[in-house]
Amino acid sequence: MVAEQKHRGCIRRLQLCFLLWTLWEISAAQIRYSVPEEMEKGSFVGNIAKDLELQPGELSERGARIVSKGKKQYFALNVRTGSLVIEDRIDREDLCGQIAQCLLNFNVFVEDELKIYSVEVEITDINDNAPRFLAEELELEISELSGLRTQHLLESAYDPDMGVNSLQGYDLSPNHHFSLRVQSGDDGGKNPELVLEQALDREKEPVLHLLLTAWDGGEPVRSGTARIQVTVLDANDNAPVFTQSMYTVRVPENEPQGTVLLTVNATDADEGINSQVRYFQVKRPGKISQIFQLNSVTGELSTLQNLDYEEAEFYVIEIEAKDGLGLKGRAKIHVIVLDVNDNAPEVTITSVTNSIPENAPPGAVIALFHVHDRDSGENGRVLCSIPGDLPFKLEKKVDNYHSLVTARALDREEVPEYNITVRAKDFGSPALSTDTHILLQVSDINDNPPTFNHAAYSAYIQENNPRGASIYSLTAQDPDSEKNALVIYSIMVSTVPSEAPPLSSIVSMNSETGVLYALCSFDYEQFQEFQLTVTARDSGDPPLSTNVSLTLFILDQNDNAPEILYPAFPTDGSSGVELAPRSAEPGYLVTKVVAVDADSGQNAWLSYHLLKATELGLFSVGLHSGEIRTVRTFLDKDALKQNLIVAVTDNGEPPLSATVSVTVAVADSIPEILSDLSSQASSHPQDDPLLTFYLVIAVAAVSCLFFAFIVLLLAFRLRRWWMLQVVQSAGDHVGGIPSSQFLGIDGVRAFLQTYSHEVSLTTDSRKSQLIFPQPNYADTLISQQSCEQKEPSLPTQSLLQGKDEQAFCQVNFIL
């Protein structure tokens, strides 16, 4: 129990310390001045710069200015001198009325610090108003039978000043019948009364004239006078008396116009006409007579216009009850205006920024605003709020100022702008609220590097691609904006095979679009793949970048014909011969054709076919192995020398092929085959010897025709060359003819080299044989050539176009 009491005591002390600290902080942030009313414009009030501990010139540099909550600005800030001066005439009586302490509050806002300083200026009263009566002449009717010491109320004077400058007393001019008595009311007012000191005699003095003077306590003393005319009447010795000296009524401010607030009642003890009472409002300065109306017969007090708690919280109305002969009774009506929640909170934006960088730290000030509700109590208490899903919060400052600050980090890529609704809601019933919208743009910073959709990319390109063609495209996205999202592409690192040319001659990349172009025609047989590291870099400050790997795979095309490795074509002029024994059984392996293809995949799948043979059905070739085997046993009628032509074809599209000629000698050994050939030669001694002679003549004739053709071809070429020179000299506008259009001497030499013939003569041969074999040898590869010609720009260039002819002829002459 003791421990709990100690704990509660500690909590109370902590709460007290916190309260004192809060009060000290509020007072420390508030600046107070005091200035008398009616000072001239430009009069010095106080040194704001000194009180804010700033140099005078700093007010202008920091953007200091006055933020007033009122409708009229009474003060100005001289940012050059740091002084607070009077901006407009201040009349305390108009500003605060009868309020004891007249205070003007405003704020000084320092722009660069986003700080608000509360300033309070007390307006002190000076004696600038003299007491005055609403009517310069007062009329009283007093019965001659009135007893001594009878009191008669007089109209009070009114002085709007306060304190010693307000009304202090009255003086009555000397006379024989009346004295003056001053009564102090509940509200501190002074009410004069005439006291009858000597009996009246209507027959001697029917009318008396007096002078009433009201004076204040100011320096100098000011006064006002009113003339009193007293009419002496016949006997009426009872004045009306109200049932209450002070009537109090509470009226909500939203009561409609014409509402009866209360009914007053006064009675007169006299009889007859002397007991008839009528009600009147005592005239006072101000607008009371325009707001309330008193029915003179019924005593009902009603409103002439709508009441407003924010303009006046209460009214004091003086009323009189007067009988038929002029005797009066007085009372007061205290009308208390009750506040209703008829005013929504008012939000005044003092400072606001429309843009904030996305890297702004938590607590960065976005807006500073003031909240005010003209209602009072719970109706005037305001709570400000913003939607809870926003990265912002509200902080309460001094004097109902609030600041909107960031609560956490912002991300422009997630939310580029915010439409912040600040709701100011009071605690009335029903509650009223005001929404203020602040549009905030989140400015971009370069906090996101470019990103690719994949960590690595692969591309497949057919070989023999055209130069300069687009082969691939990379795209990186940067969620930033403007220049921070401008991406530049480049090739940073490459892994290229050593046998390949340098990267600068293989590919290039467009730095703006990320399109990759081929600078050369790829050859699968030279290299099959290479790898690039592509960098995407934005244009921010500092720039951010991302790397991605790109692997280019070269796809093979069937651009290489098979190459026959064995049997190889002899280079020494001899012919290769394969031996096959006569006793070979079917399936005997005679030899094997070995070929390779530089392509890959199915383009390199080779198949072997027997195109031609001396004895059909004697040999076969393995489709995939290339093995030449016997199909049957040799017969005596079979030739000793068998010539085979084997074709090797790949599996590409279109397929390419090569052929090879294989000679098979049927014998058990080389000496045997020589003896067999000699016996065959001697077995034909009766062959006609003239046949060899005719063959020689035929060969010579063909050779002569061939040389004649060559001479004509050279003459034709020289004639075309001469015509070209003539055309070029005819005009300067004729363009040059490329040298590739002429055959030239090298072309003739190449043509001559393509023609070859072979004559073999044997003595004593009586029989000759003329053979035209296919132009295929063991080392012959079939290739495709393509030539491109441009469209001639001049008609004369058509004269230069010709077709090269190729001829190949091989003649075997055997005697």
Side-chain angles (χ1 to χ4, degrees), residues 20-32 118 398-399:
L20 293 176
W21 179 82
T22 304
L23 294 175
W24 177 84
E25 185 184 36
I26 294 175
S27 62
Q30 192 173 50
I31 304 172
R32 299 177 182 273
S118 179
V398 297
D399 203 10

Side-chain angles (χ1 to χ4, degrees), residues 405-426:
V405 301
T406 56
R408 60 179 184 269
L410 305 178
D411 191 348
R412 189 205 67 85
E413 288 70 40
E414 291 184 0
V415 183
E417 68 176 11
Y418 292 91
N419 189 359
I420 308 170
T421 301
V422 179
R423 172 163 295 180
K425 184 178 181 180
D426 60 28

Side-chain angles (χ1 to χ4, degrees), residues 139-391:
E139 294 182 358
L140 289 178
E141 294 179 347
I142 303 176
S143 174
E144 62 179 338
L145 297 181
S146 298
L148 299 178
R149 309 299 300 174
T150 303
Q151 300 174 2
H152 300 274
L153 296 175
L154 299 176
E155 181 180 334
S156 299
Y158 176 74
D159 192 335
D161 293 327
M162 293 296 295
V164 296
N165 297 325
S166 64
L167 179 64
Q168 298 296 318
Y170 297 90
D171 291 328
L172 185 64
S173 60
N175 63 90
H176 300 290
H177 298 279
F178 298 97
S179 63
L180 183 64
R181 180 182 177 183
V182 179
Q183 295 282 357
S184 296
D186 297 335
D187 56 354
K190 300 182 182 301
N191 301 315
E193 297 179 352
L194 284 179
V195 180
L196 185 60
E197 300 290 348
Q198 186 177 345
L200 299 175
D201 188 349
R202 182 178 179 279
E203 287 71 26
K204 292 182 178 181
E205 292 181 292
V207 178
L208 299 175
H209 295 280
L210 305 174
L211 184 63
L212 180 63
T213 301
W215 49 272
D216 58 24
E219 184 63 37
V221 177
R222 296 178 180 269
S223 61
T225 59
R227 294 184 296 274
I228 302 175
Q229 177 179 317
V230 179
T231 302
V232 181
L233 302 176
D234 285 335
N236 181 22
D237 53 353
N238 291 291
V241 178
F242 283 96
T243 57
Q244 299 179 31
S245 61
M246 173 69 75
Y247 292 91
T248 302
V249 59
R250 290 176 171 79
V251 185
E253 62 176 327
N254 59 350
E255 286 291 340
Q257 178 180 340
T259 301
V260 177
L261 305 183
L262 83 164
T263 300
V264 298
N265 184 36
T267 57
D268 194 319
D270 295 326
E271 295 181 354
I273 192 174
N274 295 329
S275 64
Q276 296 179 359
V277 179
R278 299 179 68 84
Y279 304 94
F280 304 94
Q281 278 185 238
V282 177
K283 294 183 179 181
R284 292 291 185 188
K287 300 180 180 180
I288 293 181
S289 59
Q290 301 175 10
I291 299 175
F292 301 98
Q293 179 182 21
L294 183 64
N295 191 306
S296 61
V297 178
T298 62
E300 293 178 347
L301 182 69
S302 59
T303 58
L304 294 177
Q305 62 185 33
N306 295 328
L307 304 180
D308 191 350
Y309 174 86
E310 288 69 40
E311 292 185 1
E313 299 179 10
F314 64 90
Y315 298 92
V316 177
I317 307 171
E318 292 189 35
I319 58 175
E320 287 182 343
K322 184 177 180 180
D323 62 15
L325 295 180
L327 294 181
K328 301 176 182 178
R330 282 192 179 180
K332 291 183 178 181
I333 301 176
H334 191 191
V335 179
I336 300 175
V337 181
L338 302 178
D339 182 42
V340 297
N341 195 27
D342 59 343
N343 291 284
E346 300 173 358
V347 178
T348 303
I349 302 293
T350 303
S351 176
V352 65
T353 179
N354 296 323
S355 178
I356 186 171
E358 61 178 324
N359 63 343
V365 179
I366 298 169
L368 186 68
F369 57 93
H370 179 265
V371 180
H372 174 65
D373 195 318
R374 298 177 60 197
D375 296 322
S376 63
E378 291 296 302
N379 297 332
R381 190 160 68 93
V382 180
L383 176 65
C384 295
S385 63
I386 59 175
D389 58 342
L390 297 179

Side-chain angles (χ1 to χ4, degrees), residues 642-793:
Q642 299 288 332
N643 291 322
L644 308 178
I645 297 177
V646 179
V648 184
T649 307
D650 61 23
N651 197 36
E653 184 63 38
L656 301 179
S657 63
T659 60
V660 62
S661 178
V662 179
T663 301
V664 180
V666 181
D668 292 330
S669 63
I670 294 178
E672 181 181 352
I673 190 173
L674 293 177
S675 63
D676 290 342
L677 291 175
S678 299
S679 62
Q680 287 182 1
S682 62
S683 63
H684 300 285
Q686 303 301 323
D687 288 343
D688 190 359
L690 294 178
L691 180 59
T692 301
F693 174 74
Y694 294 146
L695 289 176
V696 172
I697 293 176
V699 170
V702 171
S703 299
C704 292
L705 290 175
F706 173 73
F707 282 113
F709 170 74
I710 293 301
V711 171
L712 289 175
L713 179 62
L714 288 175
F716 180 72
R717 291 291 185 176
L718 289 174
R719 181 176 178 273
R720 290 177 61 184
W721 175 80
W722 178 77
M723 291 181 66
L724 177 62
Q725 297 299 322
V726 172
V727 172
Q728 287 182 345
S729 61
D732 295 336
H733 66 280
V734 179
I737 305 302
S739 60
S740 61
Q741 299 290 337
F742 297 96
L743 178 64
I745 302 302
D746 293 339
V748 175
R749 183 182 297 113
F751 181 83
L752 292 175
Q753 290 176 354
T754 59
Y755 178 83
S756 64
H757 62 278
E758 193 173 298
V759 178
S760 299
L761 299 177
T762 59
T763 46
D764 300 330
S765 62
R766 298 175 59 190
K767 189 176 181 180
S768 300
Q769 184 178 4
L770 183 62
I771 300 174
F772 293 92
Q774 296 292 332
N776 295 310
Y777 303 96
D779 57 350
T780 302
L781 301 179
I782 299 176
S783 61
Q784 297 179 353
Q785 297 180 352
S786 62
C787 297
E788 295 182 359
Q789 290 184 348
K790 296 184 178 179
E791 190 71 23
S793 58

